[in-house]
Amino acid sequence: MIRVVIADDQALVRSGFRALLDARDDLDVVGEAADGHEAAALAKALQPDVVLMDIRMPGLDGLEATRQITADPHLGAVRILILTTFELDEYLFDALRHGASGFLVKDTEPDDLVTAIRVVARGDSLISPGMTRRLVAEFAARAKQPRPGSDLDVLTDREREVMAHVAGGFTNDEIARQLYLSPATVRTHVSRAMTKLGARDRTQLVVLAYETGLVRPGWLP
């Protein structure tokens, strides 16, 4: 059973999401929050698998709530799925950088939302890596200079190569075909890179790849 907390300042939106998710046999809405303070408190108290986090809420917004949750070492298994009205919301890059596993626009089809929750709950990044890559590239392009890439010195050459392909929005199977590796080997390299860099999931690997200059906006392996 995937345990979900819904954080949105509109009661009608929360009710709609609850009805949609509770109708699924493998999803259980265990709490609702009307602002970031409540979302962070519920995440700590309930330790759900996934928090559906509206990014724009009064008081403490979804960005700061995400930062608080992902910074708590006791909540390392809690995944954040950002909900936004705009596909390129100015706060989304910071949310991903702070550890959100991905994002969805609020007019996403119900089945796509359910699928995204399941994907994020099992530790993968959001259903659309291409969309996440476009978002990161959009805001990385505005940065004056990538931070020094010394953080990547802990990686092997192969791990850096695989990480660059992850940042390109490719799946493990696609990376395996391009690098002539088995999918299992690619998964191992991805897992080791995440562990060495302290990344919560693949989305953070994408962010780190751009922030360190391993890849640049518009670049594809």
Side-chain angles (χ1 to χ4, degrees):
M1 184 67 71
I2 300 172
R3 303 169 70 250
V4 181
V5 163
I6 301 170
D8 194 291
D9 61 318
Q10 299 183 42
L12 188 59
V13 172
R14 295 197 306 273
S15 297
F17 281 139
R18 175 183 280 275
L20 170 65
L21 301 183
D22 280 344
R24 267 55 177 193
D25 292 338
D26 62 333
L27 302 180
D28 181 22
V29 177
V30 295
E32 296 182 23
D35 58 35
H37 288 292
E38 291 184 4
L42 283 177
K44 186 173 183 178
L46 302 176
Q47 299 196 19
D49 299 298
V50 177
V51 177
L52 283 181
M53 183 80 75
D54 183 14
I55 203 166
R56 294 175 179 270
M57 294 183 287
L60 193 73
D61 63 20
L63 175 61
E64 179 58 23
T66 295
R67 189 197 66 77
Q68 291 185 12
I69 293 169
T70 58
D72 189 332
H74 299 293
L75 302 179
V78 177
R79 305 299 176 189
I80 310 293
L81 185 54
I82 296 293
L83 295 169
T84 179
T85 306
F86 310 104
E87 183 173 317
L88 288 179
D89 190 302
E90 61 184 298
Y91 293 115
L92 287 178
F93 177 66
D94 282 338
L96 295 177
R97 185 165 57 83
H98 284 308
S101 293
F103 70 94
L104 288 172
V105 290
K106 287 188 175 180
D107 61 357
T108 295
E109 292 294 324
D111 286 346
D112 290 339
L113 172 63
V114 170
T115 299
I117 291 172
R118 291 168 177 158
V119 168
V120 168
R122 65 173 179 253
D124 294 331
S125 56
L126 186 55
I127 189 172
S128 176
M131 182 183 291
T132 298
R133 179 175 57 80
R134 290 199 306 274
L135 173 78
V136 175
E138 168 74 18
F139 290 100
R142 301 180 187 181
K144 294 181 180 178
Q145 183 69 30
R147 77 186 195 198
S150 59
D151 290 352
L152 303 186
D153 290 346
V154 298
L155 303 182
T156 65
D157 289 343
R158 180 62 88 181
E159 287 164 354
R160 280 195 292 271
E161 187 177 22
V162 169
M163 179 175 170
H165 281 72
V166 170
F170 296 103
T171 66
N172 286 347
D173 288 345
E174 290 169 337
I175 296 171
R177 288 194 294 271
Q178 292 183 41
L179 299 183
Y180 301 100
L181 301 171
S182 71
T185 299
V186 172
R187 284 194 296 272
T188 297
H189 287 312
V190 171
S191 177
R192 287 177 178 170
M194 287 170 54
T195 298
K196 290 179 179 180
L197 297 175
R200 289 169 63 90
D201 55 28
R202 291 170 71 97
T203 301
Q204 277 208 300
L205 282 185
V206 176
V207 173
L208 287 169
Y210 278 98
E211 287 193 330
T212 59
L214 178 64
V215 297
R216 301 297 173 87
W219 181 90
L220 284 175

